[in-house]
Amino acid sequence: MFGDLFEEDGDGFSSTPGTGVKGRESEPPPPRGKVKLCGIKNQGGTCYLNSLIQTLLFTPEFREELFHLGPDELGWLADKAKPEAKVRVIPLELQRLFSHLLLVDELTASTTDLTDSFGWTNNEEMGQQDVQELNRILFSALESSLVGTSGSSLIHRLYHGTLVNQITCKECGNISERQEDFLDLTVSVRGVSGLEEALWNMFVEEEMFEGNNLYRCSRCDQLVRAAKSAKLRKLPPFLTISLLRFNFDFAKCERYKETGSYTFPLEFNLRAFCEQNNWPDSEYSYELFSVIIHKGGCYGGHYHVYIKDIDHLGHWEAPEEEVKIKAKTQRQEAKVGERKKESENCVETEDPLSILTGILAQEESKCVLVDQLGQKLMNKTGTPWSKKYKKQYGTISKFLQNHPEVFMLVSNGTRVALKNAVPATTEPSPTEPVSSTSANSNPENIKPETAGDTEDPDVCHWFDLNDSTVSSITLKDIEKQFQGKESAYMLFYRKTTMKRPPEAIGNPAYKVPPHLVEMVQEENARVQQRRAEFDASSNSIEVRLHLAPYYHCQNGALHPTAPGEDSIITVTFDRRKTVGDLRLAIYQMQDLWEGDMALTLAKNVPAGLHLYDTLTDDQMSLYSAGVCNGSDLFVWNGREVSGVAVQTGIEWEPVLLTVLRPSAEELGCGDESGVGDTDGSGLVRSMKGFAGGATLGKVLEALGPQEAFLCQEQSRPGASGGGASGWRVFPPQDMQRTLRELSLKDGDAVLLLQPEELDSSIFSLNGDMVTVTTPSDCRWLQVEFCPLSGTKEEEEEEEEEEQGKKKSKVSASGNMLLAEVKEKALEELRLQDELSGVECCLRQMDRSGKLLPPVHEHLSVRDAGIRLMTSLYLCPGPVPTATQLFLYFSVGLAPLVGQELEIIVEESLTVKECLKEMLQMARLEGESWHLRRVDWCEEIGEPLMDENASLKEAKVIHGDTLVLVEGRLPPKGYLKLSVRMHMDMIQSSSVPVLNHTAESQSIEALNTEWSGSEMRFIGYVEISEEASLDDLKTQVMTLPALQDVCVPSPAFLRVWLLECKKPARVLRGNQQTLRKLKLGNGVEVCVQRLMKEEDLGLKDLLLRVHMGVPGEKAYYPSEEFLWDAGRDSTPKGLYAALASQYGLTPDNLLLAKHLPDKHTWMPISNWTQQVSKKKKKRKAESLQAAPFYLKDGDIIGVKNLLIDNNKEFTTLEDEIGQQRLREENHNTRGRTASGECSQDSGSKKSGSTKNRKPEVALSINVGVFR
């Protein structure tokens, strides 16, 4: 790969007889790419370290301060093994790594020595860690390593800042403050729109202590109102900001990553956040120079970093996308210029783009207010924008924004100008290339434009350093990191007052110590030497020469005449030499060669050696001619080999076919001298090679007479479906096609048959298909007599001795009909007399011992899908015909496996007729029955709705299981709902308990939802899908079970939808149809009698409120509370509603939601931060969303703080439940550890979660230097 970088050396030619293998040296590291920056290798999981190291490297002040420390202070790495020498390894290794990244001409550098100095093992290098944590730990390690040196305050000088927390008493004005040091600021991401808003919340907003949350003032010596705030007291030269992207969801009990939009500026001023505001403005100004990005989730991911090249060390080139956009912009500008000329003479009234372009082109200032542009358009066309273009293009501002290639919005979007005529009042962005049109307008700005040039030499470009990869990026790429799974994680700012000296620009060796420069020069010399040696080695290739006198042509390919002779010569040659040089060298080797010499590229294929392209241009290099290491060259005269003309090229590449013929033994010609059947298949195999360009007719001519049949294999014999193989006879038109056109490849089999051989019992011709049934294909089926239709285990218990006599192997093939198999089985089992006049059928048995449906005896073994060498069971019973179906059926909603009844019906029968026959067989009476399917997991499924459809139309197939269920089917468009009644225990005696097997279960589970109450099944309701909820309530009132229950009107009923036998939600909207309420056929509902009329709104939530008993871990009886969540669904709204209910103020209440599955309470906070008028108020979180997910029936605990000082919601029952859960978890872990965890414990979780390794804290080992 480095052949064009170094000069050629020597002839590089040697010859050795025979074949050899050349030893290759290890490939040297590649040089730096066009970007001229060095990446860092990932050791397996050290992307977080690589990103931080690159950030520190491109912090020039940190880098130069570190380089300023010499060996007299840090020691020498060579002495680190000496016990008495105090070598500060970490800063020394960091110096070496920085110098390598700056000066060594390699694409990547390794951090292995650095991580070894940290004391890290493979666990730290392969495990993923947090870069924010590493930043603090590395700074701490450096401070410890530099104790006692001139760089002991390095971290403190560059990164140390202070902030002060103050609490101001509103009564006496006393200020209590506490100062904190920081090396990085940790800011919140959740709930804020960007960095500036987060800083505003931290350092501008005040937290008020008032109401029940008062502050005790040390001067007033009492609880008073106070304000808490924080300010920045000292600003560091470099400000590091860590973003809290990872949070914890208390509802799901898991961590998650904040991926919402979070903006951060390229430059910003911190004056508003500082305690002192009388400094010069430049002291508060910071610019962004590094963004560490995290891609992935909270349990893993990948880090890379965007870095601003302050010292111009890299070579920036516009990304391909930017180049394409620039080319597109130039084309658009050319079009705008054409439209400008046309607009001077006429106005194209149909194209708004040309009209607006013409208007702006005619303006002297080349810039127009957006508000005035519409008026100018109406003056020119006579029609306002809103009437002519708004319907198609939207507003005029939107139209301008949709054409950024033509228009430019300036002055905060209030003015518009043409892209190629920027007004003098605006300044182009430093990252945008100056267009050719605007450059030409000022002769002083004309410069040659290249990919890496910029219009301003002071502009610093950005690069993406992603482990080993370094690429150029634009400012638009930084904006993409505001949100998403790949988003900014750490931000690094530097003061704008920190300017770089001119001698540091573009000079990577600036301030690098001489001893490190010398070390780098030696490393570069070694690398260059390795590359030169590798270059010479990589350009040396081995070529195998095949000499024509030692070859002959056979099977369409070349083969050595005598394998013992030396027919191949291996030579080593420089691939940069020409074909003529190689030819001359071969002439010198072969003194006896006479005549022309042709060199042809050859390749070994299954048929032999084949020739491809002849090297004719003697001036072409071997590399350009396609000669590479290990190539084969055939040396010949270019026409013939051993007197036989040889065809060359890919189209004549030979194909090695497997030719099959009938063996002499199978044809009854045992005295023939041909090869006999060697594998018992009855066929003789031979390998023949033919040129790929030869026609099939030529192949047939070479193999046998023209009247023979040539067949291609279509299906091979296998264990399933019999043992015969199928062959397709090539049609006459294929005889003119080549082997390549027929897609025949090496190893494909063809069968050659003479016409008289088709009379054999082995071969049978049917149309164009030949079936070959050879002796090896004839196998067997085991048939066992099963007099009872029970399971196999029952039969073994009854007749253990007789079973051996009633089992027989019947010879069978894939083409044999199953009727023939049954006849053979009756003969071999001697059951003709015993089963005379009794219908018998053949059946298979599954693994559980259940007999499968009888097979169709008109089918062959193959067509019936029966595998040879398996068992069939001969059972009494009729045989289904081709138009009949064998079905299993059972009665009731709880069918028992193995107790089904069996029936054979015509597939043309309707569902209703089939139901009637099943009722007769089951000896059941009545008309209120219907059929349901049983799905693949043996559960009762959907009913067969269309009773007039045939079984075939209803997609009932052979072997299906159906269930007879009592009850009529609802008509089409109707629903059949199961209804339960919810009532207090006192009133439960007025409703009778219906004895229904399917509906009377799980009452105990239902009672746990509403303690002191129960739900009883009261019947079914059939109702139209278009009926309203009010209609459903009316029909429920007519059920016999409610005749003695007093319900004045439907408005006194509440309907709950049940899911998993538990109340899920209240059906609301009395005029809503059941279809819109999403009720399906067979769902369960529960009705509850009310003491007053109720008409719930669509946004109303029905909650159960428990008021706490003061001073006790208990609650008063629950009360229903109707909350209008549509008005205000935030915690503030719920607090206000409950405060109004109890006649209290919201500050005197404390609320929590009960989680019955975990026996815990989730507090609902009403705390809101004071928001200034300047700050945009963010949208409050709804209680119906995460993490509370409030819904109908949820329990809300209420504490009255005026009379109850106990703020804990947990009751004694909750503590008992939590203890029970802990015991269950402990037992589960114990069973898991011992390998005896049952299936029940695994089924409790809805889905399996990925096992994660325990998180280990990151650490760096540092020696003692104090």
Side-chain angles (χ1 to χ4, degrees):
M1 63 184 293
F2 307 106
D4 55 341
L5 299 179
F6 306 98
E7 297 180 354
E8 302 175 0
D9 52 342
D11 292 340
F13 180 83
S14 63
S15 64
T16 55
T19 59
V21 179
K22 179 173 60 176
R24 283 280 185 113
E25 297 181 6
S26 61
E27 186 174 353
R32 303 192 181 196
K34 296 181 180 179
V35 180
K36 301 301 181 185
L37 296 180
C38 183
I40 302 179
K41 298 177 184 176
N42 193 326
Q43 298 186 45
T46 56
C47 56
Y48 64 100
L49 174 65
N50 298 348
S51 301
L52 185 60
I53 292 297
Q54 294 283 20
T55 298
L56 297 177
L57 173 70
F58 283 89
T59 307
E61 291 76 11
F62 176 87
R63 181 180 72 225
E64 292 164 6
E65 288 274 1
L66 188 66
F67 281 147
H68 181 70
L69 301 173
D72 53 337
E73 293 185 285
L74 302 181
W76 295 91
L77 283 175
D79 299 333
K80 65 180 180 181
K82 299 178 180 179
E84 67 280 0
K86 290 189 176 182
V87 181
R88 306 173 194 267
V89 183
I90 293 178
L92 285 172
E93 290 291 358
L94 206 55
Q95 283 184 345
R96 293 189 61 177
L97 178 60
F98 280 0
S99 60
H100 189 115
L101 291 169
L102 289 171
L103 299 174
V104 175
D105 185 22
E106 291 183 3
L107 188 63
T108 59
S110 174
T111 57
T112 304
D113 293 337
L114 179 64
T115 54
D116 288 345
S117 71
F118 292 167
W120 287 2
T121 61
N122 192 52
N123 295 331
E124 285 87 354
E125 294 164 356
M126 297 301 294
Q128 297 185 4
Q129 300 292 345
D130 184 74
V131 70
Q132 297 176 0
E133 181 185 6
L134 174 68
N135 182 59
R136 302 183 185 103
I137 294 174
L138 180 59
F139 279 2
S140 175
L142 282 174
E143 286 184 321
S144 301
S145 298
L146 297 178
V147 170
T149 68
S150 59
S152 58
S153 62
L154 168 64
I155 302 300
H156 188 274
R157 290 198 310 270
L158 297 181
Y159 296 95
H160 177 262
T162 59
L163 59 87
V164 58
N165 293 299
Q166 297 178 343
I167 300 180
T168 305
C169 176
K170 293 298 183 180
E171 300 297 332
C172 66
N174 180 45
I175 299 177
S176 173
E177 67 177 33
R178 179 172 54 88
Q179 181 173 299
E180 294 182 10
D181 299 328
F182 68 87
L183 296 179
D184 65 296
L185 287 178
T186 302
V187 299
S188 176
V189 173
R190 181 182 180 185
V192 293
S193 60
L195 175 61
E196 291 174 311
E197 182 181 354
L199 293 176
W200 187 277
N201 292 345
M202 291 174 64
F203 301 114
V204 177
E205 296 295 338
E206 291 185 345
E207 180 183 354
M208 300 301 299
F209 295 104
E210 54 188 3
N212 293 328
N213 186 25
L214 296 177
Y215 168 72
R216 178 170 292 277
C217 176
S218 59
R219 178 183 296 178
C220 301
D221 195 21
Q222 63 180 350
L223 296 176
V224 295
R225 294 174 60 253
K228 180 181 178 181
S229 62
K231 291 291 183 182
L232 293 170
R233 176 166 287 179
K234 176 195 171 186
L235 295 177
F238 294 93
L239 180 62
T240 304
I241 297 178
S242 301
L243 305 182
L244 285 176
R245 286 281 183 186
F246 301 128
N247 276 319
F248 191 82
D249 189 339
F250 289 94
K252 299 180 180 179
C253 290
E254 64 181 11
R255 289 190 293 177
Y256 69 96
K257 181 178 179 181
E258 294 284 354
T259 58
S261 177
Y262 188 87
T263 61
F264 49 86
L266 298 178
E267 294 185 4
F268 72 123
N269 192 291
L270 294 180
R271 181 187 294 273
F273 314 124
C274 293
E275 184 182 31
Q276 301 290 335
N277 55 9
N278 55 357
W279 297 337
D281 193 64
S282 59
E283 291 296 324
Y284 303 99
S285 181
Y286 283 82
E287 62 176 345
L288 184 70
F289 75 96
S290 176
V291 182
I292 293 183
I293 298 158
H294 180 264
K295 179 181 181 182
C298 57
Y299 295 105
H302 177 68
Y303 290 97
H304 62 108
V305 61
Y306 286 176
I307 287 182
K308 189 176 183 180
D309 187 9
I310 303 294
D311 284 352
H312 298 263
L313 302 181
H315 177 69
W316 188 87
E317 291 185 348
E320 293 184 5
E321 295 181 358
E322 293 293 323
V323 175
K324 293 179 181 178
I325 294 175
K326 182 177 178 181
K328 182 179 179 181
T329 303
Q330 292 176 349
R331 290 194 299 268
Q332 293 291 342
E333 290 171 353
K335 294 180 181 180
V336 171
E338 296 176 1
R339 294 192 183 101
K340 178 180 176 182
K341 295 179 181 178
E342 296 176 359
S343 64
E344 295 176 356
N345 302 322
C346 63
V347 177
E348 299 179 7
T349 58
E350 299 300 328
D351 185 9
L353 184 64
S354 60
I355 297 174
L356 296 178
T357 303
I359 293 173
L360 293 172
Q362 293 175 2
E363 290 293 322
E364 294 182 1
S365 63
K366 307 300 181 184
C367 184
V368 177
L369 286 171
V370 176
D371 296 338
Q372 296 178 0
L373 187 60
Q375 182 64 35
K376 291 180 180 292
L377 179 136
M378 188 175 70
N379 295 338
K380 191 145 192 162
T381 62
T383 308
W385 176 277
S386 59
K387 288 187 177 180
K388 190 165 187 178
Y389 302 110
K390 185 175 181 180
K391 185 176 181 180
Q392 181 177 0
Y393 300 103
T395 63
I396 191 169
S397 300
K398 184 178 180 181
F399 181 81
L400 297 175
Q401 294 172 3
N402 290 338
H403 294 80
E405 72 279 1
V406 180
F407 304 107
M408 177 182 291
L409 293 172
V410 296
S411 300
N412 294 327
T414 59
R415 305 178 70 89
V416 61
L418 290 178
K419 192 87 172 191
N420 65 334
V422 182
T425 58
T426 62
E427 296 182 1
S429 172
T431 58
E432 294 179 1
V434 178
S435 63
S436 58
T437 308
S438 61
N440 292 336
S441 62
N442 188 354
E444 297 178 358
N445 295 334
I446 298 178
K447 294 182 180 180
E449 188 174 328
T450 62
D453 292 338
T454 62
E455 63 275 4
D456 188 354
D458 295 332
V459 171
C460 300
H461 290 292
W462 286 80
F463 295 90
D464 178 14
L465 291 95
N466 191 347
D467 288 341
S468 302
T469 306
V470 183
S471 57
S472 304
I473 61 171
T474 64
L475 295 180
K476 294 180 180 178
D477 295 307
I478 300 177
E479 296 175 359
K480 295 177 183 178
Q481 307 306 323
F482 288 166
Q483 61 186 353
K485 289 188 175 181
E486 183 178 9
S487 51
Y489 191 59
M490 285 189 76
L491 307 175
F492 297 84
Y493 286 89
R494 56 184 286 129
K495 282 191 174 182
T496 55
T497 56
M498 304 174 66
K499 302 296 182 182
R500 300 293 295 151
E503 57 270 18
I505 304 302
N507 181 14
Y510 181 70
K511 293 290 184 72
V512 179
H515 70 282
L516 291 178
V517 173
E518 182 180 356
M519 180 197 70
V520 167
Q521 291 174 349
E522 294 175 357
E523 180 66 21
N524 280 331
R526 286 193 297 268
V527 171
Q528 292 293 343
Q529 182 179 0
R530 286 183 58 194
R531 288 175 184 157
E533 294 173 354
F534 180 78
D535 179 65
S537 174
S538 61
N539 283 312
S540 298
I541 59 174
E542 291 182 349
V543 181
R544 291 188 292 270
L545 303 178
H546 301 261
L547 305 179
Y550 299 97
Y551 280 82
H552 70 283
C553 190
Q554 180 184 353
N555 277 345
L558 297 173
H559 296 268
T561 305
E565 295 190 24
D566 198 5
S567 60
I568 301 176
I569 298 177
T570 302
V571 297
T572 303
F573 208 73
D574 194 327
R575 66 175 181 174
R576 292 171 290 188
K577 299 289 185 179
T578 63
V579 174
D581 295 336
L582 178 60
R583 194 191 312 273
L584 179 61
I586 297 175
Y587 266 123
Q588 295 173 357
M589 293 174 55
Q590 301 293 323
D591 298 335
L592 302 180
W593 189 276
E594 296 181 359
D596 298 334
M597 177 185 290
L599 300 179
T600 304
L601 286 170
K603 181 181 177 182
N604 281 301
V605 295
L609 188 70
H610 180 66
L611 308 183
Y612 292 89
D613 299 325
T614 301
L615 309 182
T616 57
D617 188 357
D618 282 356
Q619 302 303 318
M620 182 181 294
S621 68
L622 295 179
Y623 176 77
S624 301
V627 180
C628 56
N629 189 51
S631 293
D632 294 279
L633 286 177
F634 193 72
V635 185
W636 62 315
N637 58 15
R639 297 181 298 276
E640 59 183 15
V641 175
S642 299
V644 179
V646 176
Q647 300 287 348
T648 63
I650 186 66
E651 65 275 8
W652 293 98
E653 182 178 308
V655 178
L656 189 64
L657 299 177
T658 303
V659 183
L660 284 79
R661 292 184 174 90
S663 64
E665 291 82 354
E666 292 298 328
L667 297 177
C669 305
D671 55 346
E672 190 173 335
S673 59
V675 180
D677 180 7
T678 58
D679 58 358
S681 63
L683 298 174
V684 177
R685 299 171 182 267
S686 61
M687 307 299 292
K688 297 289 184 181
F690 301 94
T695 63
L696 193 62
K698 293 289 186 182
V699 174
L700 180 59
E701 183 179 347
L703 292 177
Q706 293 293 324
E707 61 272 11
F709 292 102
L710 196 60
C711 312
Q712 184 180 13
E713 189 175 23
Q714 294 294 310
S715 62
R716 296 188 176 185
S720 60
S725 59
W727 301 76
R728 184 182 67 87
V729 180
F730 284 106
Q733 59 268 25
D734 283 354
M735 294 299 164
Q736 303 304 319
R737 301 174 65 185
T738 63
L739 300 183
R740 186 172 300 277
E741 293 173 346
L742 292 170
S743 300
L744 289 172
K745 55 186 182 298
D746 293 319
D748 283 355
V750 293
L751 177 64
L752 186 68
L753 291 176
Q754 302 294 338
E756 60 272 11
E757 293 171 348
L758 292 174
D759 296 335
S760 169
S761 60
I762 302 174
F763 308 103
S764 59
L765 178 63
N766 184 10
D768 63 344
M769 291 297 297
V770 175
T771 303
V772 181
T773 307
T774 59
S776 63
D777 295 327
C778 297
R779 298 178 181 173
W780 49 266
L781 284 171
Q782 180 171 281
V783 180
E784 182 177 340
F785 178 56
C786 183
L788 300 176
S789 59
T791 60
K792 187 176 178 180
E793 288 77 5
E794 294 175 354
E795 186 177 346
E796 289 176 353
E797 293 176 1
E798 292 177 1
E799 298 185 27
E800 185 176 350
E801 298 179 357
E802 293 292 326
Q803 189 164 1
K805 300 178 182 179
K806 296 186 179 181
K807 186 188 300 184
S808 175
K809 285 186 178 180
V810 177
S811 60
S813 65
N815 293 330
M816 181 180 292
L817 295 178
L818 288 167
E820 299 176 12
V821 174
K822 187 174 76 172
E823 292 178 4
K824 282 189 175 183
L826 289 172
E827 293 177 2
E828 297 188 10
L829 294 173
R830 301 176 182 177
L831 295 173
Q832 297 95 329
D833 297 337
E834 183 179 344
L835 300 179
S836 177
V838 178
E839 287 188 293
C840 292
C841 59
L842 293 175
R843 304 176 69 169
Q844 292 178 292
M845 185 178 292
D846 63 11
R847 295 180 179 179
S848 64
K850 176 184 175 181
L851 287 171
L852 299 180
V855 297
H856 291 284
E857 295 183 1
H858 65 281
L859 298 177
S860 64
V861 174
R862 180 187 296 107
D863 294 338
I866 298 175
R867 297 172 60 91
L868 294 176
M869 297 183 293
T870 58
S871 297
L872 290 175
Y873 295 86
L874 186 64
C875 305
V879 180
T881 63
T883 61
Q884 290 182 328
L885 299 176
F886 178 90
L887 302 176
Y888 300 98
F889 72 95
S890 58
V891 181
L893 290 173
L896 298 176
V897 180
Q899 301 297 324
E900 301 97 342
L901 300 176
E902 301 171 353
I903 190 173
I904 296 179
V905 294
E906 294 287 338
E907 63 180 7
S908 59
L909 280 182
T910 64
V911 175
K912 191 172 184 178
E913 293 170 342
C914 179
L915 172 63
K916 187 175 180 180
E917 291 195 14
M918 289 181 175
L919 288 173
Q920 291 178 354
M921 179 174 287
R923 298 179 181 178
L924 295 175
E925 297 180 354
E927 302 248 346
S928 58
W929 293 87
H930 65 275
L931 288 176
R932 289 178 178 262
R933 300 177 187 271
V934 174
D935 57 18
W936 61 274
C937 53
E938 296 184 353
E939 294 183 357
I940 297 176
E942 292 293 324
L944 301 179
M945 297 296 297
D946 191 356
E947 293 187 335
N948 295 322
S950 66
L951 295 176
K952 187 176 182 180
E953 294 170 345
K955 298 182 179 179
V956 178
I957 61 175
H958 190 70
D960 273 357
T961 302
L962 302 179
V963 178
L964 287 169
V965 180
E966 191 173 5
R968 285 182 174 274
L969 274 176
K972 189 175 183 181
Y974 278 73
L975 302 175
K976 186 173 182 179
L977 308 178
S978 174
V979 185
R980 293 177 180 270
M981 183 71 182
H982 164 262
M983 62 195 69
D984 296 333
M985 291 299 183
I986 302 174
Q987 303 168 344
S988 61
S989 58
S990 61
V991 178
V993 179
L994 301 185
N995 185 14
H996 195 281
T997 57
E999 301 293 342
S1000 58
Q1001 50 188 339
S1002 302
I1003 288 183
E1004 182 180 352
L1006 292 167
N1007 293 340
T1008 60
E1009 283 297 308
W1010 288 324
S1011 59
S1013 62
E1014 67 171 348
M1015 283 186 285
R1016 291 185 180 177
F1017 173 73
I1018 58 175
Y1020 289 102
V1021 167
E1022 289 187 11
I1023 191 169
S1024 172
E1025 293 178 340
E1026 303 302 326
S1028 65
L1029 178 60
D1030 202 43
D1031 297 334
L1032 174 60
K1033 294 179 181 179
T1034 303
Q1035 194 160 340
V1036 168
M1037 292 171 58
T1038 63
L1039 291 175
L1042 297 184
Q1043 294 300 318
D1044 298 330
V1045 179
C1046 180
V1047 181
S1049 69
F1052 283 83
L1053 286 180
R1054 178 187 297 156
V1055 183
W1056 291 81
L1057 179 66
L1058 300 182
E1059 292 181 1
C1060 300
K1061 307 296 183 183
K1062 297 181 181 180
R1065 62 184 174 93
V1066 178
L1067 301 181
R1068 60 200 74 212
N1070 287 330
Q1071 302 307 316
Q1072 291 280 331
T1073 64
L1074 301 185
R1075 182 192 299 273
K1076 290 185 178 180
L1077 291 173
K1078 298 181 180 179
L1079 293 186
N1081 204 1
V1083 301
E1084 288 186 313
V1085 296
C1086 176
V1087 293
Q1088 179 183 4
R1089 190 181 63 165
L1090 306 175
M1091 302 308 294
K1092 60 180 180 179
E1093 292 185 338
E1094 180 182 74
D1095 186 9
L1096 296 180
L1098 297 179
K1099 297 294 184 179
D1100 291 340
L1101 270 184
L1102 187 65
L1103 305 175
R1104 294 162 56 202
V1105 178
H1106 290 248
M1107 175 62 76
V1109 179
E1112 298 182 17
K1113 292 185 176 182
Y1115 293 90
Y1116 293 111
S1118 64
E1119 299 177 353
E1120 288 186 348
F1121 175 67
L1122 193 62
W1123 177 40
D1124 185 4
R1127 180 175 301 176
D1128 186 1
S1129 62
T1130 64
K1132 181 180 179 181
L1134 181 59
Y1135 268 87
L1138 285 172
S1140 176
Q1141 173 79 6
Y1142 292 108
L1144 301 171
T1145 62
D1147 293 337
N1148 295 327
L1149 293 181
L1150 192 61
L1151 307 183
K1153 176 191 172 183
H1154 188 228
L1155 305 177
D1157 294 338
K1158 300 178 181 179
H1159 300 284
T1160 58
W1161 295 79
M1162 182 184 297
I1164 302 176
S1165 175
N1166 191 31
W1167 178 85
T1168 56
Q1169 188 180 25
Q1170 296 293 327
V1171 180
S1172 68
K1173 295 181 180 179
K1174 296 181 180 179
K1175 178 186 169 185
K1176 183 180 178 182
K1177 186 175 181 180
R1178 69 176 185 269
K1179 186 178 180 181
E1181 297 179 355
S1182 171
L1183 289 177
Q1184 293 176 287
F1188 294 99
Y1189 300 104
L1190 216 58
K1191 63 182 186 303
D1192 289 325
D1194 279 348
I1195 299 174
I1196 302 297
V1198 182
K1199 293 284 187 177
N1200 184 355
L1201 300 180
L1202 292 177
I1203 59 175
D1204 191 357
N1205 294 326
N1206 180 19
K1207 297 184 179 181
E1208 291 293 331
F1209 287 86
T1210 306
T1211 64
L1212 295 176
E1213 291 79 4
D1214 291 329
E1215 294 176 354
I1216 295 173
Q1218 292 174 10
Q1219 179 64 28
R1220 186 171 64 252
L1221 288 178
R1222 285 192 292 267
E1223 292 175 356
E1224 292 177 357
N1225 292 335
H1226 178 74
N1227 294 336
T1228 302
R1229 286 195 297 268
R1231 290 195 300 269
T1232 304
S1234 61
E1236 298 176 355
C1237 184
S1238 64
Q1239 295 181 356
D1240 293 338
S1241 62
S1243 63
K1244 290 181 182 178
K1245 295 185 179 180
S1246 58
S1248 59
T1249 58
K1250 182 179 179 180
N1251 293 326
R1252 300 186 179 94
K1253 296 181 180 179
E1255 298 183 2
V1256 181
L1258 191 64
S1259 63
I1260 295 178
N1261 299 328
V1262 186
V1264 179
F1265 303 103
R1266 299 187 183 274

